[in-house]
């Protein structure tokens, strides 16, 4: 499936703000109820439910939002439920409540945000091979809070996929909604509507026998349904034609067993290493053999006797032998990380990538995060961090890019990419006048409960986030040729929020710090 992702416009910090906004709205709503209780019984019922929910969420907002289902449902509530509440209140206006919600509405998620949140869950479902029931029941690794999806939540997830002609995910979520409805759970959506969407989606996946069985169930429930009878006759004609052409004497047996992840093949998409990439994200297929492991060491790094590191050398660990990837421990203090986040939050915007043809920065569906660029002189912490990077790597940062801070919230990812410019995009960094990106220095500023690894599909490495550490590798050989093995990806965050701070170091100024080699792969 080609992911035409509507990226969520809210990072974890902003989502936390929405938690408190929702709490304030609940309070405002309760005050209105006290004044007009007799007229708004339906609104009061909603308020009680939301009050209980926000009490749990505001007790530990970040922990609560670490569960992607909670983040999705928060976006959904603010886009859908509160709009419905506003309509109810407007039937008998209350100036206090309306003015309050009007002030906050400009910061609410919109329909595109809700759609993006739903697609984020589907992306996690694919990458980590989680069935719809796991999400619906909140059975995710590393979660601290219970979060359930109702029949109507699952239906809305399926409808999001259906409207994008993504019938694979539409089937998975409509099936889960039907399963919960059959189990006796109450819902607004009717079983007929569910069967309508599910049967057509199953047909689109090429499963005519199951489509017929589902449509027969729909006809039995509502013989007058405007499409059911016609669809059933159409499906039966198609199946008969297929049977004649294949010379089968009898129809296939009905497929009554539940649909799961293995029932239908997931459609292939534009990414050639999709399976390898996602396997590494799950911790599978890592090629760290005993022989390779024997080449990895740890040491104290003093930056070639750099005065700033002589008395307090940095602990350094080898993460991979070739290409050489190292991790620096205690690369950032807690105070530094909090300051960097504080500086970045008001500047965060949708992350962009450079178009390989035009060289222009643009948004892309395969990069789901928000980022900010911090100038050196914005705060002494940024200057200090840049100096530390220079001391540890031995490379000048005078020609490096600004420190880029990125936040990956629910489903946040960056699919496999190169940090350096290839021969087919020679002008990628021409405007900077500092040459290509010779090296990448990546600070991890948060632990991630599940997911969020940095993976290298070419040679099967997975680097897991550890708060306060930093990883470093060279993107170019000493000859200046790109090391194509360094194609890497930021795996989707399954549970938690991932904060990183990148420093891309460029060629200019490194002539005597990292002299050129004599061969292409030096």
């Amino acid at each position: 499936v080609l992911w035409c992702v509507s990226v969520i416009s809210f990072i974890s910090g902003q989502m936390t703000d929405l938690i408190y906004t929702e709490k304030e709205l609940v309070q405002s709503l309760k005050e209105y109820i006290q004044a007009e209780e007799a007229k708004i019984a339906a609104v009061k019922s909603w308020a009680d439910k939301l009050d209980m929910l926000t009490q749990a969420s505001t007790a530990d907002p970040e922990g609560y939002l670490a569960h992607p289902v909670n983040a999705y449902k928060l976006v959904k509530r603010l886009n859908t439920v509160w709009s419905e509440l506003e309509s109810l209140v407007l039937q008998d206006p209350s100036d206090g409540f309306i003015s309050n919600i009007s002030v906050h509405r400009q910061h609410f998620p919109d329909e595109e945000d809700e759609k993006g949140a739903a697609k984020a869950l589907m992306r996690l479902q694919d990458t980590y091979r989680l069935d719809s029931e796991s999400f619906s029941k909140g059975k995710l690794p590393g979660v601290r809070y219970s979060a359930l999806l109702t029949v109507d939540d699952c239906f809305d997830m399926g409808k999001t996929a259906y409207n994008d002609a993504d019938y694979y995910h539409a089937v998975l979520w409509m099936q889960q909604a039907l399963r919960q409805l059959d189990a006796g759970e109450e819902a607004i959506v009717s079983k007929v509507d569910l069967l309508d969407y599910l049967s057509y989606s199953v047909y689109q996946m090429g499963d005519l026998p199951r489509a017929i069985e589902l449509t027969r169930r729909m006809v039995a429930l509502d013989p007058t349904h405007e499409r059911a009878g016609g669809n059933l006759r159409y499906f039966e004609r198609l199946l008969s034609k297929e049977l004649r052409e294949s010379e089968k004497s009898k129809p296939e047996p009905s497929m009554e067993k539940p649909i799961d992840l293995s029932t239908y093949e997931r459609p292939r998409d534009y990414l050639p290493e999709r399976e390898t990439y996602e396997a590494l994200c799950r911790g599978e297929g890592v090629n760290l053999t005993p022989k390779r492991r024997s080449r990895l060491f740890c040491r104290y790094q003093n930056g070639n006797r750099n005065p700033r590191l002589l008395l307090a050398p940095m602990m350094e660990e080898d993460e991979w032998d070739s290409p050489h990837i190292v991790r620096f421990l205690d690369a950032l203090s807690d105070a530094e990380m909090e300051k960097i986040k504080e500086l970045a939050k008001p500047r965060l915007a949708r992350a962009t990538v450079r178009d390989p043809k035009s060289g222009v920065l643009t948004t892309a569906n395969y990069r789901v995060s928000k980022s900010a660029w911090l100038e050196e002189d914005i705060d002494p912490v940024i200057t200090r961090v840049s100096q530390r990077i220079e001391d540890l790597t031995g490379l000048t940062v005078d020609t490096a890019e600004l420190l880029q801070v990125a936040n990956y919230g629910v489903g946040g990812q960056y699919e496999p990419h190169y940090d350096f410019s290839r021969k087919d995009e020679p002008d990628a960094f021409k405007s900077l006048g500092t040459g290509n990106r010779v090296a990448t220095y990546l600070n991890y500023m948060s632990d991630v409960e599940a997911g969020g690894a940095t993976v290298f599909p070419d040679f099967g490495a997975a680097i897991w986030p550890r708060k306060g550490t930093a990883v470093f590798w060279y993107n170019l050989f000493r000859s200046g040729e790109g090391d194509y093995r360094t194609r890497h990806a930021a795996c989707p965050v399954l549970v938690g929020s991932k904060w990183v701070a990148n420093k891309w170091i460029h060629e200019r100024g490194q002539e005597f710090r990292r002299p050129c080699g004599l061969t292409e792969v030096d």
Side-chain angles (χ1 to χ4, degrees):
V1 177
L2 181 60
W3 279 107
C4 298
V5 179
S6 170
V7 178
I8 303 173
S9 303
F10 301 91
I11 62 153
S12 62
Q14 292 168 321
M15 293 285 280
T16 302
D17 293 339
L18 291 180
I19 287 283
Y20 289 108
T21 296
E22 190 173 29
K23 178 67 174 179
E24 184 178 338
L25 290 171
V26 172
Q27 183 60 38
S28 176
L29 183 60
K30 292 182 72 176
E31 291 174 358
Y32 171 72
I33 291 170
Q34 290 174 2
E36 309 248 7
E37 191 171 8
K39 300 179 182 179
I40 55 169
V43 178
K44 187 177 185 300
S45 175
W46 274 114
D48 291 338
K49 293 177 184 178
L50 290 168
D51 193 28
M52 291 177 60
L53 179 63
T54 52
Q55 285 180 21
S57 63
T58 53
D60 182 6
E62 291 190 1
Y64 178 84
L65 288 171
H67 198 303
V69 169
N70 283 333
Y72 162 68
K73 294 190 74 169
L74 172 62
V75 171
K76 180 183 175 184
R77 284 196 306 276
L78 289 172
N79 177 51
T80 305
V81 174
W82 283 101
S83 294
E84 293 172 357
L85 284 170
E86 183 180 6
S87 297
L88 286 173
V89 171
L90 284 171
Q91 294 173 8
D92 189 6
S94 170
D95 294 339
F97 178 74
I98 297 303
S99 62
N100 196 357
I101 199 170
S102 298
V103 167
H104 289 297
R105 178 165 294 282
Q106 59 182 320
H107 304 297
F108 278 12
D110 57 20
E111 186 176 350
E112 284 302 302
D113 293 312
E114 182 178 339
K115 180 179 176 183
K119 288 193 171 185
L121 291 192
M122 295 178 213
R123 185 161 58 249
L124 294 174
Q125 182 178 29
D126 290 340
T127 303
Y128 298 104
R129 290 183 176 173
L130 299 167
D131 57 38
S132 303
E133 186 175 9
S134 295
F135 272 109
S136 180
K137 305 302 181 185
K139 299 175 182 177
L140 302 180
V143 298
R144 288 178 284 168
Y145 291 86
S146 175
L148 304 178
L149 289 171
T150 65
V151 170
D152 296 304
D153 291 332
C154 293
F155 174 75
D156 288 340
M157 291 284 294
K159 195 172 179 181
T160 296
Y162 182 94
N163 289 339
D164 277 349
D166 176 9
Y167 300 109
Y168 173 75
H169 290 99
V171 167
L172 293 177
W173 286 100
M174 292 295 177
Q175 167 75 12
Q176 179 59 29
L178 183 61
R179 183 184 292 120
Q180 292 178 213
L181 196 61
D182 284 341
E185 184 178 320
E186 293 185 0
I188 296 173
V189 64
S190 70
K191 187 172 291 188
V192 170
D193 285 341
L194 264 175
L195 290 167
D196 191 11
Y197 279 97
L198 181 57
S199 60
Y200 186 76
S201 298
V202 164
Y203 156 68
Q204 287 290 342
M205 293 302 295
D207 190 348
L208 275 172
R210 195 192 294 261
I212 289 171
E213 286 302 314
L214 291 167
T215 309
R216 284 173 178 166
R217 285 184 63 183
M218 185 164 56
V219 171
L221 289 171
D222 184 2
T224 64
H225 192 278
E226 58 181 349
R227 286 183 303 278
N231 284 353
L232 181 58
R233 290 188 291 274
Y234 176 68
F235 293 158
E236 289 175 336
R237 284 199 303 270
L238 285 180
L239 183 59
S240 297
K241 181 180 178 182
E242 286 185 5
L243 292 172
R244 287 195 303 273
E245 292 175 353
S246 62
E247 299 181 349
K248 292 182 179 178
S249 58
K250 59 181 181 179
E252 295 287 336
S254 62
M255 305 284 287
E256 279 299 322
K257 66 178 183 179
I259 300 169
D260 57 29
L261 290 174
S262 62
T263 302
Y264 303 121
E265 183 178 352
R266 177 181 162 196
R268 295 188 178 276
D269 64 10
Y270 55 89
L271 195 62
E273 67 263 69
R274 171 71 65 188
E275 291 183 5
T276 302
Y277 154 55
E278 293 184 349
L280 288 170
C281 290
R282 296 190 297 270
E284 303 167 6
V286 179
N287 294 326
L288 195 58
T289 62
K291 184 177 180 180
R292 274 211 137 101
R293 197 185 305 275
S294 68
R295 301 172 188 157
L296 306 181
F297 300 93
C298 56
R299 64 192 70 83
Y300 281 100
Q301 170 66 269
N302 64 16
N304 197 22
R305 297 186 62 78
N306 185 292
R308 282 178 288 271
L309 292 173
L310 273 177
L311 295 179
M314 185 74 69
M315 289 181 287
E316 178 184 298
E317 297 176 347
D318 291 328
E319 285 280 353
W320 207 260
D321 56 341
S322 180
H324 194 204
I325 304 174
V326 299
R327 187 194 295 263
F328 299 110
L329 279 62
D330 299 322
L332 290 175
S333 68
D334 287 342
E336 288 172 332
M337 288 184 281
E338 290 308 309
K339 187 62 179 179
I340 292 171
K341 293 177 188 177
E342 176 189 326
L343 294 169
K345 283 179 180 180
R347 297 171 173 81
L348 287 167
R350 168 80 183 274
T352 59
V353 295
R354 196 172 296 277
D355 187 295
K357 295 182 179 178
S358 66
V360 176
L361 290 175
T362 183
T363 57
N365 296 327
Y366 54 83
R367 187 176 191 183
V368 184
S369 67
K370 282 204 163 189
S371 62
W373 299 86
L374 301 183
E375 301 276 354
E376 291 287 324
D377 57 1
I378 193 174
D379 191 274
V381 166
I382 308 303
T383 305
R384 187 163 66 246
V385 169
S386 292
Q387 183 63 61
R388 187 176 303 143
I389 293 172
E390 182 168 306
D391 294 343
L392 288 169
T393 64
L395 302 174
T396 181
V397 295
D398 290 345
T399 55
E401 295 173 48
L402 301 179
L403 188 71
Q404 187 204 53
V405 180
N407 176 250
Y408 298 84
V410 52
Q413 65 162 6
Y414 191 177
E415 290 182 353
H417 63 282
Y418 300 100
D419 279 351
F420 64 92
S421 64
R422 275 76 67 212
K423 291 180 180 179
D424 59 348
E425 47 179 8
D427 297 333
F429 303 114
K430 185 176 181 180
S431 62
L432 300 179
T434 53
N436 210 341
R437 286 173 170 171
V438 67
T440 296
Y441 188 100
L442 173 61
N443 290 287
Y444 294 115
M445 299 195 298
S446 64
D447 292 315
V448 179
E449 286 87 340
T454 304
V455 299
F456 295 78
D458 184 81
F459 52 91
I463 314 296
W464 299 95
R466 286 158 57 188
K467 186 177 181 180
T469 69
V471 292
F472 172 77
W473 68 85
Y474 283 103
N475 298 305
L476 308 178
F477 293 110
R478 286 184 178 272
S479 63
E481 292 294 321
D483 187 345
Y484 283 80
R485 298 173 300 172
T486 61
R487 182 171 166 86
H488 62 286
C491 294
V493 174
L494 177 57
V495 178
S497 178
K498 179 181 174 184
W499 283 91
V500 297
N502 303 289
K503 192 75 168 177
W504 286 295
I505 304 171
H506 284 244
E507 292 178 288
R508 298 294 178 262
Q510 319 302 344
E511 292 82 0
F512 298 104
R513 294 174 180 250
R514 191 184 189 236
C516 292
L518 299 178
T519 66
E520 185 174 303
V521 295
D522 280 347

